[in-house]
Each structure stands twice: as C-alpha cells, then as structure tokens.
Amino acid sequence: MRKVTVFITLKQGVLDPQGKAIQESLNSLGYKEIQEARVGKYIELQVEEGPELEARVKGMCDKLLANPVIEDYRFDVEEAVRS
Amino acid sequence: MKFAVIVFPGSNCDRDMYHAIKDVMRVEADLVWYENSNLENYDGILLPGGFSYGDYLRSGAVAATSEVMKQVKEHASKGKPVLGVCNGFQVLTEAGLLPGALMRNKNLSFMCHQEPLVVMNNKTPFTTGYEQKEVIHLPIAHGEGNYFCDEATLLELKNNDQIVFTYKNNPNGSIDNIAGIVNKEGNVLGMMPHPERAVEALLGSNDGMKLFQSMIKNWRESYVTNA
C-alpha cells in the first residue's frame, strides 16, 4: 500500500472569502502579523501498489478531486505503509 | 414534449420543478431517480436545485460523475434542451457541459430572497418569450453562486452571446454580474436563480413562467411537424 496525500488550494487570483474571514479573525485576536490566509483541502488516499501510480493519481485530481477552473493541486506519494 | 426532472440524493427543488411543468405548464414530466435511469424517451432534461451528495468535495462535483450525467451529455450533444437551476447549474459546470465554476458567495452567507435580473439574450430556446433587456424578478437561494471563469472564457462568453441573465444588484460576487449562461450551441442553460419558484403571481412572481413557455414553444416548433 502507498499513502497518497493530496493538497488542493484555490488558484492565486481567485477570491477566497473564507481565507479573508480567517485572516481578519486572527488579526482581531491580536495576530496582526497575518497578512493573508488561504483555505484549501487535504485528502489522504490509501492506494494499492500498481503501475503508473502517479499518472493515475493525477487523473483522479483532474477528474474529481480538484476543479482545474479554480483550484491547483499537488500530491505526495509516501513509501509503502505497513498495514 | 416530455420532461425528466433528475433526482439526486440531496436534491430538494425537484418537486418545485415538477410542479412548474406538470401543474402550471400542464406538460408531461417525470421525477427520474439518478440510478438506472433511461433518458431516451425524454425531450427536455431538468437538473433541479438542492444539495446533491451533501455538497461533498465541491457542490455538484460528485453528481457530475454519475452515470446519468453521461446520458445528459449525450442528450445535449443531440441539441436537445437541458436546464440546470442552482445545484443543477453547479452540476453542469462540474460535468464540463458549461464553462466556469460556482464558488462560495463573496459575503460567505447563504442568501434566500428575490433578485431583479436582466435578460441579456432573448434568442436562446429558453428566453424567446422575454424582451431583450427585460428586467425580471426571480428568487435566489444559494451559498455557492459566485460565478467565476478566467478572462479568456469570459471574453468567449461575451463574444458568443452566452450570457443569458445578469443580476441588477450583484448579490454574490459573480464575475460580470453573471446569473445564467448557455453553452456555445445554446441548448444547455445553467442559472442560479429559480424560475420554477416563480410560476405563481400569488407567491411573489410569475416571471419564471416565460422560461418554461419558451422551452416548450421552441421544442414544439422544431420537433413537432405541423405544430
């Protein structure tokens, strides 16, 4: 088994109202150093070993996990996890 | 003409849509569960509002991958009319039948009230009953109706006259006040406001009626001989 972690973020330039609300909230808690907050998603996949694993994960991201119109993604594949 | 109202787990405006067609327009319609469905015998496809699959991942994203959407694509490729309202619009963008995406409202709030809209293109099969630039009033009810697309897509939408409805007082941050768009061919319409909730004057507005009347009239003129 491999553990794949997918990180999805809004593209630069795409308005992130949730991030904006978080930034303002942190500022009001006294964390004045926060200039920007952006919210994304983190998805963990347990994947069976197989050929073209990276290409298949890329396909999953393009087809479902991320929306290429508004989101960017990256993923890490971790070495075999003992199950 | 016969309509299919596609019902996903989490759809909640399906019965309003069915009521608008069946009881107000007096045209045949079925509520069609998304699994094991066969759309071959339907002329118009209606994707209703709601929260299909609980809006998991992104609104409309999971429904867009369902088997029934393959059939909807096939139906659309034949030039037959497809209307997606609210969550239906989100499903159409996620399925790639319409460009762009619907994001969280700019003010982060779910909004449910009536909005004035401008009819920007009355040449589509959905809008011939309206005057060009006519101002109509339809209810909105969404948390993710903030239409977004990149500059190139926006230019294309404008050049092809694909922007069908705009908001007069943009409530959600949509780019260029966009409330509804059609595909290039003009037979697939997605819109956030709810025409099916505006078919009885007693309930605030019947400005949605002309949309359904247009669909039915245009279908009869193109598909029924000697109509």
Side-chain angles (χ1 to χ4, degrees):
Chain A
M1 289 287 257
R2 294 287 189 109
K3 181 175 153 191
V4 176
T5 48
V6 184
F7 300 87
I8 299 156
T9 49
L10 282 173
K11 282 187 172 163
Q12 278 303 325
V14 172
L15 184 78
D16 180 2
Q18 267 194 99
K20 184 89 182 129
I22 290 169
Q23 180 217 326
E24 284 167 9
S25 199
L26 284 171
N27 289 157
S28 74
L29 280 173
Y31 298 102
K32 306 286 184 202
E33 66 271 35
I34 304 301
Q35 297 298 304
E36 191 184 22
R38 291 183 72 78
V39 178
K41 291 182 189 130
Y42 168 85
I43 300 171
E44 280 183 7
L45 305 169
Q46 300 291 336
V47 188
E48 277 178 33
E49 292 282 353
E52 297 179 355
L53 182 111
E54 299 226 345
R56 291 183 66 80
V57 174
K58 189 172 182 305
M60 294 172 208
C61 291
D62 290 331
K63 281 186 203 152
L64 178 66
L65 301 180
N67 180 342
V69 177
I70 47 172
E71 294 169 327
D72 288 326
Y73 64 83
R74 67 180 174 82
F75 59 87
D76 297 330
V77 180
E78 284 178 32
E79 288 310 308
V81 186
R82 210 164 286 177
S83 53
Chain B
M1 186 175 196
K2 193 173 180 184
F3 285 95
V5 179
I6 311 292
V7 186
F8 293 105
S11 297
N12 68 7
C13 302
D14 41 329
R15 286 181 184 271
D16 303 79
M17 193 68 98
Y18 180 78
H19 166 77
I21 300 295
K22 190 93 171 175
D23 304 326
V24 181
M25 294 297 132
R26 306 217 173 263
V27 167
E28 269 192 279
D30 287 329
L31 288 164
V32 178
W33 183 240
Y34 78 112
E35 273 180 319
N36 304 317
S37 49
N38 182 351
L39 302 183
E40 266 175 44
N41 296 322
Y42 296 98
D43 307 303
I45 306 294
L46 305 168
L47 297 170
F51 299 85
S52 57
Y53 296 88
D55 275 356
Y56 294 162
L57 195 61
R58 293 178 307 278
S59 39
V62 181
T65 64
S66 62
E67 162 64 30
V68 72
M69 284 309 295
K70 285 185 197 148
Q71 293 186 53
V72 173
K73 282 182 191 172
E74 205 181 303
H75 178 95
S77 71
K78 291 177 189 155
K80 294 185 185 177
V82 177
L83 167 66
V85 170
C86 199
N87 189 225
F89 186 12
Q90 294 162 340
V91 173
L92 288 173
T93 57
E94 283 285 348
L97 276 162
L98 290 174
L102 292 141
M103 307 193 23
R104 199 73 185 270
N105 291 345
K106 200 173 173 183
N107 65 3
L108 294 173
S109 301
F110 185 94
M111 289 183 288
C112 188
H113 60 255
Q114 201 172 83
E115 275 288 335
L117 307 174
V118 185
V119 179
M120 299 300 289
N121 179 353
N122 75 341
K123 305 271 189 306
T124 77
F126 307 91
T127 52
T128 47
Y130 297 105
E131 300 293 324
Q132 183 75 2
K133 295 282 169 76
E134 184 176 338
V135 175
I136 62 170
H137 294 83
L138 297 182
I140 61 164
H142 60 248
E144 302 189 15
N146 179 355
Y147 183 79
F148 176 85
C149 63
D150 61 27
E151 285 293 319
T153 308
L154 183 63
L155 192 67
E156 206 173 313
L157 288 176
K158 286 180 183 168
N159 289 343
N160 298 327
D161 230 354
Q162 288 174 253
I163 301 168
V164 179
F165 298 108
T166 55
Y167 299 107
K168 248 181 115 74
N169 317 306
N170 193 342
N172 55 23
S174 291
I175 198 163
D176 269 47
N177 308 320
I178 288 174
I181 55 167
V182 281
N183 61 345
K184 236 181 242 172
E185 294 73 21
N187 66 313
V188 178
L189 170 66
M191 59 193 293
M192 288 312 296
H194 289 269
E196 81 284 5
R197 293 193 195 177
V199 290
E200 318 259 8
L202 188 65
L203 299 180
S205 166
N206 60 2
D207 287 351
M209 281 181 77
K210 284 183 194 166
L211 190 145
F212 298 110
Q213 285 163 348
S214 303
M215 279 181 90
I216 294 160
K217 180 170 177 282
N218 288 306
W219 184 85
R220 284 182 178 152
E221 282 174 6
S222 4
Y223 290 96
V224 183
T225 45
N226 308 319

